Amino acid sequence: MGSIAVEEIKWSSQLETGISIIDRDHKVLVDLLNQVAAVIGDNEERAILGSVLNSLSEYTHYHFSREEKLQEVAGYPGLEAHRRRHVVLSSQVDDIRSRYRDEPESVQGDEVRAFLRTWLVEHILKEDMNYRAICAAHPQAVVAAEAIRFGDEPVEGNNNSVVRKAATVNWSTLKVLVVEDNRNFQLIISTILRSLGVRSITAADSGAAGLGSLHGGGKFDLVLSDWRMEEMDGLEFVRAARAAGVTTPIIMMTGYSDDVVREQARAAGVNAFLEKPITARGFLETAGDVLTAAVAEAG
Ligand SMILES: [Fe+2]
Ligand SMILES: [Fe+2]
């Protein structure tokens, strides 16, 4: 995809509906939308933009189901029209996502820019503002919407155990170390983590910096590591960490899918893999598994 210049969207009170769960969702969406523009031309564009678009699509579906529940319970008269707009926006994002996956050259910068504008300016700033007065006055509607968790929304091959496992994780107290040499990839991972409620995220730009963080007295509950990194790669990082007695679960993010290589990595102490381009849902599933297993072992 060609380079495009899209101004970064700064979060402002203008974008706020005043309904905190909705504003939180919108912030995540704005972050992801900003990342779509920022990663174009990155040398790992395919993996990163693929990850951003996957997450944007999943998060869009989730947010829309929450917002529609809110409007339904509050008895908002514009629900049907609003739902139709959501159908159009989610099919646009799904279309961009699948075309980028299958044929990246077919996705044009202009198209993405137009889409981002429609999403933000037209939808969040105008259409979403129309329901805020009615919905903000219905605390039960907010409670019902809040009960919908990311990963809950119906998708193909939905597996509810994903949500159940992930729901047992206390994301807000989790301390996560992200070892990744690509700044844009660090950003997408941070956005996904923050959307789940994680507050403590430490980023390390290299294997050596990751070891430094682990030895620096910081106690982590989860480590995410890239595989392919300059100088010390992910595998060497894991070996060195395990040799130093680090028992924290480690998820390796990789484009490799070779079984032999994966076996080697498991033997080195990797707990699970996340294939690039990643998806937010895939992350939730893998991290939920690894963290519940760690708790079971410790208990
Ligand atoms: Fe919205
Ligand atoms: Fe909406």
Side-chain angles (χ1 to χ4, degrees), residues 11-299:
W11 185 263
S12 71
S13 54
Q14 226 198 336
L15 284 161
E16 264 164 37
T17 62
I19 302 168
S20 68
I21 58 159
I22 297 299
D23 291 335
R24 245 174 9 235
D25 286 357
H26 284 167
K27 271 183 197 155
V28 173
L29 288 164
V30 166
D31 278 353
L32 291 169
L33 291 164
N34 278 332
Q35 285 165 31
V36 170
V39 307
I40 293 166
D42 185 290
N43 59 357
E44 288 183 67
E45 181 188 299
R46 188 87 191 253
I48 303 171
L49 187 52
S51 302
V52 176
L53 291 173
N54 285 341
S55 305
L56 183 61
S57 156
E58 293 172 332
Y59 213 79
T60 296
H61 285 278
Y62 148 80
H63 169 64
F64 286 171
S65 55
R66 253 184 160 187
E67 216 175 70
E68 288 165 18
K69 176 58 80 183
L70 176 80
Q71 297 176 14
E72 187 191 308
V73 176
Y76 174 60
L79 172 61
E80 275 321 308
H82 201 107
R83 191 175 266 153
R84 283 196 294 276
R85 289 294 298 146
H86 282 175
V87 170
V88 172
L89 286 169
S90 50
S91 68
Q92 270 180 322
V93 70
D94 288 348
D95 174 62
I96 294 177
R97 171 201 196 174
S98 54
R99 274 193 298 125
Y100 189 73
R101 183 186 54 210
D102 302 335
E103 217 186 316
E105 306 74 33
S106 75
V107 176
Q108 298 301 313
D110 281 351
E111 171 187 12
V112 174
R113 180 170 27 202
F115 169 71
L116 300 185
R117 282 203 71 78
T118 319
W119 227 120
L120 289 150
V121 182
E122 299 302 317
H123 196 67
I124 299 182
L125 275 171
K126 294 185 186 157
E127 288 151 344
D128 280 356
M129 292 304 165
N130 294 333
Y131 70 70
R132 69 171 173 183
I134 290 182
C135 295
H138 274 77
Q140 320 92 290
V142 175
V143 169
E146 197 168 17
I148 297 176
R149 308 290 294 262
F150 179 74
D152 255 343
E153 68 288 349
V155 292
E156 234 177 284
N158 196 355
N159 171 3
N160 283 326
S161 69
V162 171
V163 183
R164 252 180 276 121
K165 262 192 187 162
T168 64
V169 174
N170 192 353
W171 299 97
S172 65
T173 59
L174 211 67
K175 290 187 164 55
V176 184
L177 173 65
V178 182
V179 184
E180 166 63 72
D181 58 353
N182 185 302
R183 179 96 187 93
N184 284 319
F185 211 87
Q186 279 178 14
L187 280 178
I188 164 76
I189 291 285
S190 300
T191 301
I192 294 174
L193 287 168
R194 274 188 283 111
S195 77
L196 294 168
V198 177
R199 294 192 211 127
S200 171
I201 305 164
T202 303
D205 290 326
S206 65
L211 288 175
S213 299
L214 288 170
H215 298 327
K219 186 96 178 64
F220 295 97
D221 304 296
L222 180 66
V223 177
L224 294 170
S225 175
D226 186 20
W227 188 311
R228 208 183 299 210
M229 292 183 286
E230 296 283 321
E231 287 159 32
M232 177 183 282
D233 69 15
L235 198 55
E236 288 171 72
F237 161 73
V238 174
R239 284 195 178 120
R242 294 299 186 224
V246 172
T247 55
T248 314
I250 302 176
I251 297 175
M252 181 77 89
M253 302 176 290
T254 173
Y256 296 110
S257 47
D258 186 316
D259 284 347
V260 179
V261 179
R262 282 190 181 216
E263 255 334 294
Q264 256 185 338
R266 282 207 182 272
V270 170
N271 298 72
F273 297 90
L274 206 54
E275 204 161 319
K276 285 184 177 183
I278 65 163
T279 71
R281 196 186 166 82
F283 171 77
L284 188 71
E285 189 171 350
T286 308
D289 269 351
V290 161
L291 290 166
T292 46
V295 168
E297 240 168 69

